Amino acid sequence: MRGKVRRGLARIAGRVITFFARAVTAVQPVWAGIDPDQDRQRVYYANHASHGDFILIWAVLPPRLQRRTRPVAGADYWQKGPLRRFVGSEVFDALLIARQAGAGSGAAVGRGAAHAGATAAPPSAILSAIPSDVVDAMPPDPPSTMPPPMPSDAPSMTPPELPAELPGAMRTDGPSETAIASAPDRPPATASVASSDASSAIAPDGQSAMPPAVPPDGPPAMPAEGPVGQMAAALGAGASLIIFPEGTRNQTDARLLPFKSGLYHLARRCPQIDLVPVWIENLNRVLPKGAVVPVPLMCKVSFGAPLHLAEAEDKAAFLGRARDALLALAPQPEGRA
Amino acid sequence: MSPAHEDLLSVILGIGGVLVLASAIGWALGRRYSPDGQNAAIENLNDRIRAWWLMVLALALAFLGGRPGVIVLFAICAFAALREFMTLTNASRADHRTLAAAFFIVLPVQFWLVWIGWYGMYAIFIPVWVFLLLPIVSVLAGETRNYLIRIAEMQWALMICVFCVSHVPALLDLSIPGYAGRNVLLIAWLVIVVQLSDVLQYVWGKLLGRRKLAPRLSPSKTVEGLVGGALSASAIGTALWWMTPFQPLQAAAMALMVTCLGFAGGLVMSAIKRDRGVKDWGHSIAGHGGFIDRLDSVVFAAPVFFHVTRYFWNLG
């Protein structure tokens, strides 16, 4: 009974939020590369400049897709206080992931932080720091690539930070159990994550932010697993995801920050899943950093053609290609003075 | 029902009749030339006609709602127009407070002043008070890059989208001898003449247009369209003189004035679009573009129409 009321409230709150977002931004979707009527499972990866980014993507998706599209977000932000918890997990059904570097999952998160420039960027509301090492996916139908979801007796892989009442865990469709259980496929993936990250040109691994000595071949499976497993499970359960591969909100004059490697690992793990670049235009002006009141300006959300990892494509090449595909959706800068 | 109401209803029914006719023509053209939707011009025509139904419906409801209806409708239009305009400006992060004030203080205050009928304030609020206060808010952010461009653009946006648009409902304030209670009809007349002029320019241009008037600004505007549209819209404005406090000849002169101003407004706003490299101001009105694409002519005609009427006909 209470659950029903809450669900009803969540639906209404979702309507109110999207109505408000539309009133402020008159957001216009541009379906440049995908057909919105086609009901496919996708990972939408977008430029990230504002806390409202995922709301705008969510708002333009047709209702059918909307219901199963989950933004990947930081648990530390969305679990603070009952309101955020309600909005994050029940209205948007966000996939909440712990990202405070901690004893266990610190490896994954810490590495993300190191990539962010070792300056320990303040956590964004959206799960930005995570995707780098976290993204991992499991399309439900192509069984070839994905290991079968889990032996159910898998050891608990829940990262220590994830509170027991992680909202996801209460959901009836129960992605988080899957998340935990899918961990066994992890070790190899983790190894590859670790090793490729070690060679990453973006940021040397093993900065102070993380426990440095994660041996490439023998990382404790747990650390990197938590978030990755969660995302994989969410995809495995049929959800689509919204991620921000820049890893943090872009506050610079550059149009797009370098990508973290998470997108690559995702593409490698599930070559079948559609990675759809999404350019969000103008929202950074609507709600710049530190602003509380959004200013009404017109926004556009452009969806490009889906991407997949090519055969024998290495990380740098793939991330470059993905980034270019996203930038290609951005308006040419000569428009304004 | 008052005579003003009866006249208003006949005007609305008349417009409805015109729209029925337009829809029938659009449907016939569509069947003949674009059965599978392949003729872009005809599809656009039909989009425009469909959007007109909605716009006429909104206007009719506002007119029937009287003063509150008209003020709220044009405040919403001003909001949408300002949103489109500010999107194309150089306003930067440093101007966030200024922008927020423009949307959430200046705009409501201006329409509230119109609501309470304080002519002495709404006539100068944006040109004087906001003109001076707005750059102060922006300068406090300490960002000097493009400063003059930024504040000038924001002031222009407020003048066009808020000040000028608010002069449409301000027509309700004029107290014209022998015209009491009929001011809504004056607004209806202005909107009908100006918008019909746009439509007829488009129609004449499509039918007879040869010589391009301003190819760099607006490739679709032709001399034939302008002359045909302005003259036929003025003729209709003259025929509708009974809606106004004017004599037929006066109505003709006024109609010619607002159609010319409306045309010029369209040109000016086109120049801004070309400068910013966009085709339309927005996408909110299917077939037409944005709110400013539809309002541009009214924006230029309304304040001048207001002041000329006030100067020659107003009592107070």
Side-chain angles (χ1 to χ4, degrees):
Chain A
M1 182 57 207
R2 273 196 70 195
K4 229 174 222 165
V5 172
R6 277 183 81 88
R7 258 200 304 278
L9 275 180
R11 191 160 290 184
I12 294 169
R15 289 278 156 79
V16 170
I17 292 172
T18 42
F19 172 82
F20 182 68
R22 284 174 182 285
V24 169
T25 66
V27 58
Q28 179 192 25
V30 179
W31 308 105
I34 60 169
D35 175 3
D37 296 327
Q38 212 183 25
D39 198 357
R40 283 181 68 93
Q41 195 184 13
R42 305 185 176 102
V43 170
Y44 304 95
Y45 70 94
N47 58 317
H48 191 18
S50 159
H51 283 323
D53 284 336
F54 78 91
I55 296 178
L56 226 51
I57 297 180
W58 204 74
V60 297
L61 290 175
R64 210 158 27 90
L65 298 184
Q66 202 177 61
R67 271 193 295 277
R68 33 177 280 195
T69 301
R70 310 179 63 186
V72 177
D76 50 296
Y77 182 89
W78 288 103
Q79 298 209 308
K80 221 176 266 167
L83 183 66
R84 279 190 200 171
R85 237 186 331 253
F86 176 72
V87 172
S89 50
E90 290 184 53
V91 176
F92 291 109
D93 192 15
L95 180 61
L96 296 182
I97 288 180
R99 62 180 161 186
Q100 291 312 298
S105 66
V109 175
R111 194 151 45 225
H115 280 236
T119 45
S124 140
I126 315 262
L127 176 61
S128 343
I130 296 302
S132 69
D133 300 273
V134 153
V135 181
D136 191 330
M138 175 188 305
D141 20 30
S144 57
T145 42
M146 299 309 305
M150 93 236 2
S152 56
D153 59 338
S156 165
M157 290 301 177
T158 322
E161 291 80 4
L162 290 184
E165 29 55 84
L166 177 73
M170 302 186 294
R171 302 175 44 79
T172 44
D173 43 344
S176 57
E177 293 95 293
T178 348
I180 294 163
S182 69
D185 66 301
R186 252 24 184 33
T190 315
S192 78
V193 168
S195 54
S196 49
D197 274 348
S199 64
S200 159
I202 299 166
D205 233 340
Q207 295 295 336
S208 55
M210 58 168 280
V214 178
D217 47 351
M222 251 175 66
E225 283 326 296
V228 182
Q230 276 179 281
M231 297 177 75
L235 284 161
S240 292
L241 297 177
I242 299 174
I243 64 171
F244 299 96
E246 289 167 278
T248 185
R249 275 183 299 153
N250 180 4
Q251 309 288 351
T252 69
D253 285 335
R255 313 179 77 196
L256 199 57
L257 299 173
F259 276 11
K260 304 290 182 51
S261 54
L263 197 62
Y264 167 74
H265 298 303
L266 172 62
R268 220 166 84 136
R269 289 286 299 276
C270 5
Q272 275 87 346
I273 205 146
D274 286 355
L275 305 174
V276 177
V278 182
W279 184 265
I280 302 169
E281 185 184 338
N282 247 353
L283 195 62
N284 53 335
R285 294 173 69 208
V286 170
L287 199 62
K289 186 188 185 180
V292 182
V293 180
V295 159
L297 295 171
M298 318 278 285
C299 293
K300 237 184 230 172
V301 177
S302 308
F303 295 81
L307 239 71
H308 304 93
L309 186 65
E311 222 165 287
E313 194 174 23
D314 70 7
K315 187 171 86 172
F318 173 76
L319 289 179
R321 191 160 66 90
R323 196 165 172 277
D324 290 345
L326 182 51
L327 274 174
L329 298 169
Q332 294 316 302
E334 85 256 32
R336 274 187 265 140
Chain B
M1 192 185 276
S2 67
H5 249 97
E6 279 171 31
D7 284 353
L8 191 56
L9 276 183
S10 22
V11 169
I12 292 170
L13 288 179
I15 297 172
V18 171
L19 276 180
V20 169
L21 185 67
S23 296
I25 294 173
W27 179 78
L29 283 175
R31 268 196 69 147
R32 179 104 165 67
Y33 298 106
S34 181
D36 306 317
Q38 70 275 48
N39 186 324
I42 287 178
E43 293 308 309
N44 177 263
L45 175 73
N46 282 322
D47 279 347
R48 282 173 184 251
I49 294 171
R50 269 191 293 275
W52 269 118
W53 276 105
L54 287 178
M55 289 189 274
V56 166
L57 186 71
L59 277 168
L61 287 176
F63 288 153
L64 293 173
R67 188 180 183 83
V70 173
I71 290 180
V72 168
L73 175 71
F74 281 93
I76 293 172
C77 290
F79 176 86
L82 191 62
R83 187 174 62 183
E84 291 169 0
F85 203 118
M86 288 299 191
T87 302
L88 294 188
T89 65
N90 289 279
S92 71
R93 243 174 243 172
D95 300 310
H96 193 78
R97 274 159 201 260
T98 321
L99 288 174
F103 279 97
F104 301 122
I105 299 174
V106 176
L107 189 152
V109 167
Q110 174 71 9
F111 280 88
W112 173 72
L113 292 169
V114 170
W115 181 290
I116 63 172
W118 186 0
Y119 171 76
M121 188 48 105
Y122 69 67
I124 63 158
F125 175 61
I126 291 175
V128 177
W129 291 95
V130 174
F131 177 77
L132 295 174
L133 293 176
L134 178 137
I136 297 176
V137 177
S138 264
V139 86
L140 289 178
E143 172 64 81
T144 56
R145 203 166 131 224
N146 278 344
Y147 179 70
L148 181 58
I149 293 176
R150 282 157 38 211
I151 58 165
E153 284 175 344
M154 287 190 284
Q155 285 173 332
W156 229 79
L158 281 169
M159 282 299 289
I160 290 291
C161 304
V162 181
F163 182 81
C164 290
V165 171
S166 76
H167 278 67
V168 178
L171 287 166
L172 293 172
D173 265 350
L174 300 177
S175 41
I176 300 164
Y179 197 66
R182 292 174 64 84
N183 288 33
V184 166
L185 283 168
L186 192 59
I187 296 181
W189 184 84
L190 172 69
V191 173
I192 288 171
V193 173
V194 172
Q195 296 292 350
L196 263 185
S197 164
D198 281 2
V199 171
L200 291 169
Q201 283 177 40
Y202 169 88
V203 172
W204 286 110
K206 289 268 176 222
L207 292 179
L208 308 173
R210 296 284 177 278
R211 275 160 292 179
K212 289 202 187 304
L213 196 87
R216 287 184 56 202
L217 292 180
S218 184
S220 61
K221 287 195 168 61
T222 59
V223 179
E224 294 81 359
L226 170 63
V227 174
L231 289 183
S232 46
S234 299
I236 293 170
T238 312
L240 294 175
W241 65 274
W242 50 271
M243 293 171 68
T244 71
F246 316 134
Q247 302 300 319
L249 216 56
Q250 293 169 334
M254 286 297 234
L256 195 61
M257 181 187 80
V258 295
T259 50
C260 290
L261 279 165
F263 171 79
L267 270 192
V268 169
M269 301 312 275
S270 281
I272 295 175
K273 286 190 287 187
R274 298 296 164 265
D275 176 35
R276 295 297 139 104
V278 297
K279 193 180 145 289
D280 291 322
W281 284 95
H283 52 81
S284 311
I285 309 178
H288 296 261
F291 276 75
I292 299 182
D293 292 292
R294 207 53 281 137
L295 280 172
D296 51 9
S297 43
V298 176
V299 153
F300 273 68
V304 177
F305 180 70
F306 172 88
H307 285 292
V308 171
T309 309
R310 185 172 184 280
Y311 192 76
F312 290 107
W313 280 272
N314 189 41
L315 247 195

